[in-house]
Amino acid sequence: MIRPMFGATAKPRKFDLPLRYYDPREDEKRKERIRIKTNRNRHRSQNIRVVIYALGLAMVIWAISIL
């Protein structure tokens, strides 16, 4: 606390950064581990289900408005 009063300022710490080289094979291995396999057919069937529900709701509203 007294040191800044006498003009001494904090100096950044020195460190040695280890050298790293880009390895495309290692990058591909990492991507394969991270990749998650999903099932795409489920998404399409879900969209069809939503459309069917929307049509059913429209028919109910149409039937109520006629009566």
Side-chain angles (χ1 to χ4, degrees), residues 1-17:
M1 188 166 162
I2 296 175
R3 291 186 73 180
M5 290 183 206
F6 295 109
T9 58
K11 295 179 182 175
R13 293 183 181 175
K14 295 180 181 178
F15 64 95
D16 294 325
L17 182 65

Side-chain angles (χ1 to χ4, degrees), residues 35-48:
R35 185 173 298 150
I36 299 172
K37 298 185 191 291
T38 58
N39 190 358
R40 297 278 180 188
N41 293 336
R42 183 174 167 190
H43 182 69
R44 288 185 178 177
S45 65
Q46 189 174 13
N47 284 343
I48 292 172

